[in-house]
Amino acid sequence: MPQPFELPEFYMPYPARLNPNLEGARAHSRAWARDMDMIDVPQNGKVIWDQDDLDSHDYALLCSYTHPDAPGPELDLITDWYVWVFYFDDHFLELFKRTRDIAAAREYLDRLRAFMPVDGAITETPTNPVERGLADLWTRTTPSMSADWRRRFVESTKNLLDESLWELANINEGRLANPIEYIEMRRKVGGAPWSANLVEHAVGAEVPAAIASSRPMHVLRDTFADGVHLRNDLFSYEREVLDEGELSNGVLVFEKFLDIGTQEAAEAVNDLLTSRLHQFEHTALTEVPPLLDEHGIDPASRLGVLAYVKGLQDWQSGGHEWHMRSSRYMNNGGAPGAGVLGGPQGLGTSAARIARSLAMTHRQRARSFTHVPFQQVGHVSHPPLRMPFKSRLSPHLERSRENAVSWSHKMGIIDEVPGLWDEEKTRAYDLALCSSGIHPDADLEALDLSTHWLVWGTYGDDYYPVLFGRTGDMAGAKALTERLSQFMPLDGEPTPVPVNALERGLADLWERTAGPMAPDARLAFRRAVDDMTESWLWELGNQYQNRIPDPVDYIEMRRKTFGSDMTKSLCRIGHGKSVPDEVYRSRAVQSLELAATDYGWMINDVFSYQKEIQFEGEIHNMVLVVQNFFDCGPEIAMKIVGDLMEGRMRQFEHAVAVELPAMFDDFDLDTDARTTLIGYAEELQNWMSGILVWHQDCLRYDEPHLRKHFADSPGAAGSPPTPQRLRGPSGLGTASTRIVPRQGPVSAHSVVGVHAH
């Protein structure tokens, strides 16, 4: 039977190396799997693996390639973990995915948590090979690691196990995820963050706790995970989709979402894989070194971080070689030069493969750095935007409009920087209209507070590019960002004297908003504001490099630049204590929030495209990011963004109709908690509809307004040279031309909306 597609040309700039302890790991893993009853022992009457299965999959080879420098005993341990995780995957498939027994699957997964205690000994008795293997591995692995590492490893292992239910639920519903949801959930269910934790153990160096939760380390982990998972999706499409009826596969997701053929979908997935690996390299080279300096990481720990980064690189190249050899995957038609070990070996041939890999992906990398700013894009028609929720406006809108102008004068926002904001612009931007739609039931005081946060955030978003972007003054931007944090005291600490409108505005808003909060809520809120202001530095860094962001990195950072985390923080505080914290961390609530968040900021990117690309010379816009990734025109990119928005809206509706009710029962929530969360969903509905109304009715994106207020912009007159396309009319760029768009009371702590580009 022919393969469903030919494997694409993979980006792989690192040579794979083989651990010399391979044969020892093979012998050890065979004995260990038998000791755990994984071989030839029926489970519910079904033998999951026999000896030939284990031998042909050759997990010792996988680990010998992905951990080439691990000593023999360490390689044995790592190999046992991978035998366990792949056995779990097949065990879960046979017992629950094929039978679609969600209740039994949930009970099965809940028991596994007992075999991963962060502290103390295991007290449960294993009843099946998965439990038995986990208990053995946990006991052998955790004693040498810190409590911080154990907590991180528990979280990634629980995600790997628990999110199997997400895959099972989608199979039962026949539901295919949208691309954004898929990438996020695949990280959890695919297990690569779990693999990244094991890399720390294998190289004998933990990521220091002081930087483990920083953006650069998150990006390294997530890009590593996406690279591993997307590669696996390409190799496993035939087995998963055609044999197992699986829906959790990136090639299938792209195939259906973009309405293109399987081969073109595979090429698109490979392009995204390449982009994620480029992002990994960019972060490792440009963001990690300053992070280590900023936190004063000692020399030994620095070497440990470098060993960790190198370990992640080894995993990518070694994992690729294993996929090319394992009988578990489709690999008979590997692309020429893709790294098949049966071909010529030695340093010369390895270098040749690397050179070919770099050459084949050069154009994709180059596109991200060769954008010509201030292009005459003109008006690009918006895609149809479905808004199923009726919008309402506050009766206090007119008074709040005037109060916003008065507050802006008082804080110095109006006329502080010549040409930036004046009273005419403040009225034309009409941010009171936005807060009025987001919070139609708020009293005047709460509505004013919401409006003033919107004014402050939008002004800050305009201020940073003008004051720092045009001059490349990253040091000045960083200094201001650090000062802004000082205007948000947690426990009455003294604050500096404000010297500009941003500082005055934040000091005023913090006192009015955070003053009545409990200490833990105040801390969470400050973190959210800090995340937003620090994300403005990320934008400046890309602008300085003239670098259009990777699509996934853009989506995840856009949530911060849009102020979405700040919105969620204050909304949750307004809910009181009726909802347990673990409920907010549940898949259902996160699905609800992220779907709404993405719909909101994509509204902004659709409406602001001409303003940002033509008049401001910006590069942070989803339409431009899609243009760059698919190498297509703005009209096609706009349609794709519209499809993404529709996918996110459908996901929001699915979360409300299906996921929330199921989660209520899973957590056995009382009436108050259920009512609060239903009200939260309604708040998010108002948030989305209010944002859309504002974009449709304000003048911030109106072309005559833009030409008047950006008269000195290079984009206002004349046409800079348009860069040559780096790829011709064949491939995904042309395939995408076939895409057709598819068609409660508010508390004072629920007042923050968003800020707009």
mmCIF file of all heavy atoms in Angstrom, residues 341-376:
data_model
loop_
_atom_site.group_PDB
_atom_site.id
_atom_site.type_symbol
_atom_site.label_atom_id
_atom_site.label_comp_id
_atom_site.label_asym_id
_atom_site.label_seq_id
_atom_site.Cartn_x
_atom_site.Cartn_y
_atom_site.Cartn_z
ATOM 1 N N LEU A 341 20.194 6.509 8.197
ATOM 2 C CA LEU A 341 21.497 6.048 8.639
ATOM 3 C C LEU A 341 22.089 5.000 7.713
ATOM 4 O O LEU A 341 23.282 4.735 7.752
ATOM 5 C CB LEU A 341 21.403 5.502 10.062
ATOM 6 C CG LEU A 341 21.116 6.588 11.099
ATOM 7 C CD1 LEU A 341 20.927 5.937 12.449
ATOM 8 C CD2 LEU A 341 22.230 7.603 11.153
ATOM 9 N N GLY A 342 21.251 4.396 6.880
ATOM 10 C CA GLY A 342 21.783 3.366 6.001
ATOM 11 C C GLY A 342 22.643 3.915 4.876
ATOM 12 O O GLY A 342 23.317 3.166 4.187
ATOM 13 N N GLY A 343 22.635 5.237 4.683
ATOM 14 C CA GLY A 343 23.431 5.830 3.620
ATOM 15 C C GLY A 343 24.869 6.050 4.032
ATOM 16 O O GLY A 343 25.329 5.550 5.049
ATOM 17 N N PRO A 344 25.631 6.800 3.243
ATOM 18 C CA PRO A 344 27.030 7.062 3.547
ATOM 19 C C PRO A 344 27.180 7.731 4.905
ATOM 20 O O PRO A 344 26.386 8.588 5.279
ATOM 21 C CB PRO A 344 27.469 7.999 2.404
ATOM 22 C CG PRO A 344 26.481 7.756 1.315
ATOM 23 C CD PRO A 344 25.199 7.421 1.991
ATOM 24 N N GLN A 345 28.224 7.320 5.624
ATOM 25 C CA GLN A 345 28.443 7.841 6.959
ATOM 26 C C GLN A 345 29.756 8.617 7.010
ATOM 27 O O GLN A 345 30.530 8.650 6.068
ATOM 28 C CB GLN A 345 28.475 6.679 7.973
ATOM 29 C CG GLN A 345 27.150 5.939 8.089
ATOM 30 C CD GLN A 345 26.047 6.847 8.579
ATOM 31 O OE1 GLN A 345 26.130 7.410 9.659
ATOM 32 N NE2 GLN A 345 25.015 7.019 7.773
ATOM 33 N N GLY A 346 30.018 9.224 8.166
ATOM 34 C CA GLY A 346 31.273 9.935 8.355
ATOM 35 C C GLY A 346 31.059 11.431 8.382
ATOM 36 O O GLY A 346 29.995 11.952 8.047
ATOM 37 N N LEU A 347 32.103 12.153 8.821
ATOM 38 C CA LEU A 347 31.988 13.590 9.018
ATOM 39 C C LEU A 347 31.621 14.319 7.738
ATOM 40 O O LEU A 347 30.799 15.224 7.724
ATOM 41 C CB LEU A 347 33.313 14.138 9.578
ATOM 42 C CG LEU A 347 33.334 15.638 9.889
ATOM 43 C CD1 LEU A 347 32.282 15.974 10.922
ATOM 44 C CD2 LEU A 347 34.713 16.056 10.384
ATOM 45 N N GLY A 348 32.193 13.915 6.639
ATOM 46 C CA GLY A 348 31.912 14.606 5.392
ATOM 47 C C GLY A 348 30.458 14.517 4.987
ATOM 48 O O GLY A 348 29.855 15.504 4.586
ATOM 49 N N THR A 349 29.882 13.309 5.078
ATOM 50 C CA THR A 349 28.491 13.150 4.674
ATOM 51 C C THR A 349 27.556 13.820 5.668
ATOM 52 O O THR A 349 26.512 14.345 5.288
ATOM 53 C CB THR A 349 28.129 11.663 4.546
ATOM 54 O OG1 THR A 349 28.438 10.999 5.777
ATOM 55 C CG2 THR A 349 28.911 11.015 3.426
ATOM 56 N N SER A 350 27.920 13.801 6.949
ATOM 57 C CA SER A 350 27.104 14.486 7.946
ATOM 58 C C SER A 350 27.068 15.974 7.649
ATOM 59 O O SER A 350 26.013 16.613 7.684
ATOM 60 C CB SER A 350 27.668 14.235 9.347
ATOM 61 O OG SER A 350 26.975 14.991 10.304
ATOM 62 N N ALA A 351 28.223 16.548 7.340
ATOM 63 C CA ALA A 351 28.278 17.970 7.022
ATOM 64 C C ALA A 351 27.472 18.276 5.764
ATOM 65 O O ALA A 351 26.832 19.326 5.663
ATOM 66 C CB ALA A 351 29.732 18.392 6.839
ATOM 67 N N ALA A 352 27.502 17.352 4.811
ATOM 68 C CA ALA A 352 26.741 17.564 3.581
ATOM 69 C C ALA A 352 25.251 17.600 3.870
ATOM 70 O O ALA A 352 24.508 18.402 3.290
ATOM 71 C CB ALA A 352 27.066 16.460 2.577
ATOM 72 N N ARG A 353 24.801 16.719 4.765
ATOM 73 C CA ARG A 353 23.375 16.713 5.102
ATOM 74 C C ARG A 353 22.979 18.006 5.810
ATOM 75 O O ARG A 353 21.907 18.547 5.583
ATOM 76 C CB ARG A 353 23.045 15.496 5.976
ATOM 77 C CG ARG A 353 23.141 14.172 5.244
ATOM 78 C CD ARG A 353 22.407 13.073 5.994
ATOM 79 N NE ARG A 353 22.925 12.852 7.337
ATOM 80 C CZ ARG A 353 23.922 12.007 7.623
ATOM 81 N NH1 ARG A 353 24.532 11.357 6.636
ATOM 82 N NH2 ARG A 353 24.316 11.831 8.869
ATOM 83 N N ILE A 354 23.866 18.496 6.683
ATOM 84 C CA ILE A 354 23.581 19.742 7.381
ATOM 85 C C ILE A 354 23.525 20.901 6.399
ATOM 86 O O ILE A 354 22.628 21.745 6.455
ATOM 87 C CB ILE A 354 24.638 19.991 8.474
ATOM 88 C CG1 ILE A 354 24.498 18.948 9.587
ATOM 89 C CG2 ILE A 354 24.509 21.392 9.047
ATOM 90 C CD1 ILE A 354 25.583 19.008 10.625
ATOM 91 N N ALA A 355 24.479 20.947 5.468
ATOM 92 C CA ALA A 355 24.497 22.020 4.479
ATOM 93 C C ALA A 355 23.223 22.008 3.639
ATOM 94 O O ALA A 355 22.632 23.058 3.349
ATOM 95 C CB ALA A 355 25.732 21.880 3.588
ATOM 96 N N ARG A 356 22.777 20.804 3.255
ATOM 97 C CA ARG A 356 21.542 20.696 2.471
ATOM 98 C C ARG A 356 20.351 21.179 3.291
ATOM 99 O O ARG A 356 19.481 21.900 2.797
ATOM 100 C CB ARG A 356 21.339 19.250 2.033
ATOM 101 C CG ARG A 356 20.052 19.015 1.247
ATOM 102 C CD ARG A 356 19.887 17.549 0.871
ATOM 103 N NE ARG A 356 18.594 17.317 0.246
ATOM 104 C CZ ARG A 356 18.357 17.474 -1.050
ATOM 105 N NH1 ARG A 356 19.314 17.874 -1.851
ATOM 106 N NH2 ARG A 356 17.156 17.227 -1.544
ATOM 107 N N SER A 357 20.333 20.799 4.569
ATOM 108 C CA SER A 357 19.242 21.202 5.451
ATOM 109 C C SER A 357 19.166 22.723 5.575
ATOM 110 O O SER A 357 18.094 23.322 5.490
ATOM 111 C CB SER A 357 19.439 20.568 6.834
ATOM 112 O OG SER A 357 18.518 21.064 7.760
ATOM 113 N N LEU A 358 20.316 23.360 5.755
ATOM 114 C CA LEU A 358 20.342 24.816 5.872
ATOM 115 C C LEU A 358 19.922 25.482 4.564
ATOM 116 O O LEU A 358 19.170 26.463 4.568
ATOM 117 C CB LEU A 358 21.742 25.277 6.271
ATOM 118 C CG LEU A 358 22.203 24.886 7.679
ATOM 119 C CD1 LEU A 358 23.684 25.187 7.855
ATOM 120 C CD2 LEU A 358 21.377 25.613 8.733
ATOM 121 N N ALA A 359 20.400 24.939 3.443
ATOM 122 C CA ALA A 359 20.080 25.533 2.151
ATOM 123 C C ALA A 359 18.590 25.440 1.838
ATOM 124 O O ALA A 359 17.986 26.390 1.329
ATOM 125 C CB ALA A 359 20.893 24.848 1.049
ATOM 126 N N MET A 360 17.987 24.288 2.177
ATOM 127 C CA MET A 360 16.581 24.077 1.843
ATOM 128 C C MET A 360 15.651 24.974 2.652
ATOM 129 O O MET A 360 14.521 25.239 2.246
ATOM 130 C CB MET A 360 16.213 22.606 2.069
ATOM 131 C CG MET A 360 16.872 21.643 1.091
ATOM 132 S SD MET A 360 16.330 21.892 -0.626
ATOM 133 C CE MET A 360 14.618 21.385 -0.522
ATOM 134 N N THR A 361 16.097 25.436 3.822
ATOM 135 C CA THR A 361 15.227 26.249 4.678
ATOM 136 C C THR A 361 15.670 27.705 4.748
ATOM 137 O O THR A 361 15.100 28.485 5.503
ATOM 138 C CB THR A 361 15.189 25.662 6.100
ATOM 139 O OG1 THR A 361 16.532 25.608 6.617
ATOM 140 C CG2 THR A 361 14.600 24.261 6.091
ATOM 141 N N HIS A 362 16.676 28.065 3.947
ATOM 142 C CA HIS A 362 17.195 29.434 4.006
ATOM 143 C C HIS A 362 16.123 30.460 3.655
ATOM 144 O O HIS A 362 16.016 31.501 4.296
ATOM 145 C CB HIS A 362 18.391 29.580 3.065
ATOM 146 C CG HIS A 362 18.809 31.005 2.854
ATOM 147 N ND1 HIS A 362 19.432 31.750 3.837
ATOM 148 C CD2 HIS A 362 18.661 31.833 1.783
ATOM 149 C CE1 HIS A 362 19.651 32.973 3.377
ATOM 150 N NE2 HIS A 362 19.214 33.051 2.140
ATOM 151 N N ARG A 363 15.341 30.184 2.647
ATOM 152 C CA ARG A 363 14.359 31.181 2.205
ATOM 153 C C ARG A 363 13.300 31.436 3.269
ATOM 154 O O ARG A 363 12.860 32.569 3.461
ATOM 155 C CB ARG A 363 13.709 30.722 0.904
ATOM 156 C CG ARG A 363 14.678 30.708 -0.274
ATOM 157 C CD ARG A 363 13.981 30.423 -1.583
ATOM 158 N NE ARG A 363 14.898 30.498 -2.707
ATOM 159 C CZ ARG A 363 14.524 30.467 -3.970
ATOM 160 N NH1 ARG A 363 13.249 30.345 -4.277
ATOM 161 N NH2 ARG A 363 15.420 30.547 -4.938
ATOM 162 N N GLN A 364 12.903 30.385 3.956
ATOM 163 C CA GLN A 364 11.918 30.572 5.013
ATOM 164 C C GLN A 364 12.487 31.453 6.121
ATOM 165 O O GLN A 364 11.813 32.346 6.631
ATOM 166 C CB GLN A 364 11.484 29.223 5.593
ATOM 167 C CG GLN A 364 10.430 29.347 6.690
ATOM 168 C CD GLN A 364 9.971 27.989 7.200
ATOM 169 O OE1 GLN A 364 10.256 26.958 6.606
ATOM 170 N NE2 GLN A 364 9.256 27.995 8.314
ATOM 171 N N ARG A 365 13.747 31.208 6.498
ATOM 172 C CA ARG A 365 14.369 32.027 7.537
ATOM 173 C C ARG A 365 14.535 33.471 7.056
ATOM 174 O O ARG A 365 14.267 34.424 7.796
ATOM 175 C CB ARG A 365 15.723 31.446 7.930
ATOM 176 C CG ARG A 365 16.338 32.110 9.166
ATOM 177 C CD ARG A 365 17.802 31.745 9.319
ATOM 178 N NE ARG A 365 18.023 30.361 9.597
ATOM 179 C CZ ARG A 365 18.093 29.835 10.823
ATOM 180 N NH1 ARG A 365 17.927 30.611 11.869
ATOM 181 N NH2 ARG A 365 18.329 28.550 10.979
ATOM 182 N N ALA A 366 14.990 33.623 5.805
ATOM 183 C CA ALA A 366 15.273 34.960 5.285
ATOM 184 C C ALA A 366 14.016 35.824 5.219
ATOM 185 O O ALA A 366 14.078 37.041 5.452
ATOM 186 C CB ALA A 366 15.913 34.848 3.905
ATOM 187 N N ARG A 367 12.875 35.220 4.894
ATOM 188 C CA ARG A 367 11.638 36.001 4.804
ATOM 189 C C ARG A 367 11.344 36.737 6.102
ATOM 190 O O ARG A 367 10.780 37.835 6.089
ATOM 191 C CB ARG A 367 10.448 35.095 4.460
ATOM 192 C CG ARG A 367 10.320 34.730 3.017
ATOM 193 C CD ARG A 367 8.887 34.334 2.663
ATOM 194 N NE ARG A 367 8.342 33.296 3.524
ATOM 195 C CZ ARG A 367 8.487 31.988 3.330
ATOM 196 N NH1 ARG A 367 9.217 31.565 2.301
ATOM 197 N NH2 ARG A 367 7.928 31.103 4.132
ATOM 198 N N SER A 368 11.701 36.136 7.228
ATOM 199 C CA SER A 368 11.374 36.740 8.513
ATOM 200 C C SER A 368 12.188 37.993 8.797
ATOM 201 O O SER A 368 11.824 38.772 9.675
ATOM 202 C CB SER A 368 11.604 35.724 9.642
ATOM 203 O OG SER A 368 10.743 34.612 9.499
ATOM 204 N N PHE A 369 13.300 38.193 8.085
ATOM 205 C CA PHE A 369 14.173 39.327 8.360
ATOM 206 C C PHE A 369 14.235 40.335 7.213
ATOM 207 O O PHE A 369 15.003 41.291 7.290
ATOM 208 C CB PHE A 369 15.602 38.829 8.656
ATOM 209 C CG PHE A 369 15.728 38.082 9.951
ATOM 210 C CD1 PHE A 369 15.579 36.701 9.992
ATOM 211 C CD2 PHE A 369 15.992 38.758 11.133
ATOM 212 C CE1 PHE A 369 15.704 36.009 11.187
ATOM 213 C CE2 PHE A 369 16.119 38.078 12.332
ATOM 214 C CZ PHE A 369 15.971 36.702 12.365
ATOM 215 N N THR A 370 13.456 40.151 6.165
ATOM 216 C CA THR A 370 13.591 41.008 4.989
ATOM 217 C C THR A 370 12.322 41.794 4.679
ATOM 218 O O THR A 370 12.133 42.250 3.562
ATOM 219 C CB THR A 370 13.978 40.155 3.760
ATOM 220 O OG1 THR A 370 13.033 39.085 3.598
ATOM 221 C CG2 THR A 370 15.366 39.580 3.915
ATOM 222 N N HIS A 371 11.460 41.959 5.668
ATOM 223 C CA HIS A 371 10.238 42.737 5.448
ATOM 224 C C HIS A 371 10.586 44.205 5.197
ATOM 225 O O HIS A 371 11.425 44.790 5.893
ATOM 226 C CB HIS A 371 9.326 42.625 6.665
ATOM 227 C CG HIS A 371 8.124 43.505 6.602
ATOM 228 N ND1 HIS A 371 7.086 43.297 5.718
ATOM 229 C CD2 HIS A 371 7.794 44.618 7.310
ATOM 230 C CE1 HIS A 371 6.161 44.218 5.890
ATOM 231 N NE2 HIS A 371 6.560 45.041 6.847
ATOM 232 N N VAL A 372 9.961 44.803 4.207
ATOM 233 C CA VAL A 372 10.130 46.227 3.913
ATOM 234 C C VAL A 372 9.010 46.998 4.609
ATOM 235 O O VAL A 372 7.836 46.780 4.316
ATOM 236 C CB VAL A 372 10.092 46.489 2.393
ATOM 237 C CG1 VAL A 372 10.183 47.991 2.110
ATOM 238 C CG2 VAL A 372 11.221 45.745 1.695
ATOM 239 N N PRO A 373 9.348 47.868 5.565
ATOM 240 C CA PRO A 373 8.293 48.574 6.313
ATOM 241 C C PRO A 373 7.606 49.644 5.479
ATOM 242 O O PRO A 373 8.105 50.070 4.436
ATOM 243 C CB PRO A 373 9.062 49.196 7.479
ATOM 244 C CG PRO A 373 10.456 49.374 6.960
ATOM 245 C CD PRO A 373 10.693 48.216 6.037
ATOM 246 N N PHE A 374 6.444 50.056 5.960
ATOM 247 C CA PHE A 374 5.649 51.145 5.381
ATOM 248 C C PHE A 374 5.187 50.849 3.957
ATOM 249 O O PHE A 374 5.093 51.740 3.110
ATOM 250 C CB PHE A 374 6.430 52.473 5.408
ATOM 251 C CG PHE A 374 6.853 52.904 6.786
ATOM 252 C CD1 PHE A 374 8.181 52.797 7.175
ATOM 253 C CD2 PHE A 374 5.924 53.389 7.690
ATOM 254 C CE1 PHE A 374 8.583 53.182 8.436
ATOM 255 C CE2 PHE A 374 6.323 53.780 8.967
ATOM 256 C CZ PHE A 374 7.645 53.676 9.344
ATOM 257 N N GLN A 375 4.884 49.583 3.670
ATOM 258 C CA GLN A 375 4.379 49.243 2.345
ATOM 259 C C GLN A 375 2.962 49.780 2.161
ATOM 260 O O GLN A 375 2.159 49.810 3.092
ATOM 261 C CB GLN A 375 4.385 47.723 2.163
ATOM 262 C CG GLN A 375 5.772 47.113 2.140
ATOM 263 C CD GLN A 375 5.737 45.616 1.927
ATOM 264 O OE1 GLN A 375 4.888 45.107 1.205
ATOM 265 N NE2 GLN A 375 6.652 44.899 2.566
ATOM 266 N N GLN A 376 2.658 50.174 0.933
ATOM 267 C CA GLN A 376 1.330 50.707 0.608
ATOM 268 C C GLN A 376 0.346 49.541 0.457
ATOM 269 O O GLN A 376 0.050 49.091 -0.646
ATOM 270 C CB GLN A 376 1.410 51.510 -0.686
ATOM 271 C CG GLN A 376 2.322 52.715 -0.615
ATOM 272 C CD GLN A 376 1.696 53.867 0.156
ATOM 273 O OE1 GLN A 376 0.492 54.101 0.051
ATOM 274 N NE2 GLN A 376 2.491 54.576 0.932
#
